[in-house]
Amino acid sequence: MANKFGKLFTITTFGESHGPAIGGVIDGCPAGIELDFDAIQKELDRRKPGQSKIVTQRKEPDTVEFMAGIFEGITTGASIGFRIVNTNQKSQDYSHIKDQYRPSHADYTYSQKYGHRDYKGGGRTSARETANWVVGGAIAKQAIPEIKINAFTSSVGNIHLETPYQELDFSLIESNIARCPDAKKAEEMIDYIGQIKKQGDTVGGVVTCVIQNVPVGLGEPIFDKLHAQLGKAMLSINAVKGFEFGSGFEGAAMTGSQHNDIFNADGSTKTNYSGGIQGGISNGMDIYFKVAFKPVATVIQEQDTIDKDGNIVKMMGKGRHDPCVVPRAIPIVEALAAMVIVDNIMLDKARRI
């Protein structure tokens, strides 16, 4: 099972949703970074369950404990070890799926691949794993303070934020529980998620991410294209079904003369349909992309499924689940983007030696 992410700046993680703890080891972090632990915890607080009425009501403090690689608040260059203790498991909520496979979950595929599974909260396949990534991303952000990474909710169901990101005030992202920088659209999203929750159902949405002040030259022209690395990272997040950067699918309807980003004398471009990446390499313009999240698979409605013996049975979701994962996914998207950028900055420096 692959539990490691990155090439030079790497994170290797462990733990299950209902185990005693989750955690990880970060390798390759440069020495001499004075860490802001409050900022790291704030990132975890943005992701943690129970933070608002439109997310799962599991109550986890998600307090991170660092165990190695930091001395007097400064990174030493050694492996950074950390853990996050699980405190609010309700494993009995999952006893009904011990021998059944939830529709659109990893239950069936995991069992077929490994022959055994931890059914409590999804075990290793649970989105609780993403708390580890947020820790790694929070440290990565502090290694590149000049680069700004902002993600926000741009759609929930059929409610779309149409305003171009250049016209948005990113400081408003945290002003509402939908994490949408448009107050009117945010209220619509919150009301809709509430309606869906009352129906025992779930809804998906889209996260938009913008990375600014990226240096020119990150990424490779063949298999390690920067957008391919970002795409792999985002598609590794639970419930993600799509990734597009720059003009994305809309660019397919344009002509070449419309789509070409014409250069300015300083190497910048008049437009940015390329999304800050050309030929797999960053060009210094803003990198922007969208990540599509499906509706959460666990619904509080009766559905048909199969058991381990292949019998068709009835089942209904139980326990505490997100009616929409998008608001809690914002810090996860930012974290993975930060780790990809830091990793590529380090790779670029290594190639110049």
Side-chain angles (χ1 to χ4, degrees), residues 24-163:
V25 175
I26 299 167
D27 280 309
C29 183
I33 299 174
E34 185 173 356
L35 294 177
D36 181 340
F37 295 105
D38 289 338
I40 295 172
Q41 189 58 53
K42 182 178 178 181
E43 293 295 306
L44 281 164
D45 291 345
R46 296 170 71 207
R47 193 221 71 95
K48 74 178 181 181
Q51 62 183 274
S52 77
K53 64 183 180 181
I54 60 172
V55 304
T56 173
Q57 293 306 295
R58 178 172 176 172
K59 300 294 184 181
E60 290 285 358
D62 277 1
T63 303
V64 62
E65 176 187 359
F66 290 101
M67 309 171 74
I70 301 168
F71 181 69
E72 295 182 340
I74 300 173
T75 59
T76 65
S79 299
I80 298 174
F82 67 90
R83 70 172 183 173
I84 301 168
V85 174
N86 292 328
T87 65
N88 191 225
Q89 309 96 314
K90 290 189 177 180
S91 300
Q92 67 275 12
D93 287 346
Y94 296 88
S95 59
H96 68 295
I97 63 165
K98 179 177 181 296
D99 298 316
Q100 297 178 354
Y101 302 127
R102 295 169 294 178
S104 290
H105 271 277
D107 299 343
Y108 175 78
T109 51
Y110 194 104
S111 293
Q112 295 301 304
K113 182 175 180 65
Y114 295 105
H116 183 63
R117 70 183 174 97
D118 179 351
Y119 60 87
K120 303 188 302 298
R124 188 72 179 135
T125 67
S126 170
R128 181 137 185 77
E129 154 71 11
T130 61
N132 293 325
W133 309 349
V134 171
V135 175
I139 291 176
K141 281 184 177 182
Q142 295 189 36
I144 48 170
E146 69 283 1
I147 296 176
K148 305 304 178 185
I149 303 174
N150 290 283
F152 56 90
T153 301
S154 52
S155 78
V156 170
N158 288 318
I159 303 170
H160 299 271
L161 175 60
E162 304 289 355
T163 308

Side-chain angles (χ1 to χ4, degrees), residues 269-292:
T269 56
K270 298 182 185 300
T271 55
N272 188 20
Y273 294 117
S274 299
I277 303 171
Q278 294 175 326
I281 301 169
S282 62
N283 66 357
M285 300 294 286
D286 292 350
I287 294 173
Y288 63 97
F289 56 85
K290 294 181 178 180
V291 187

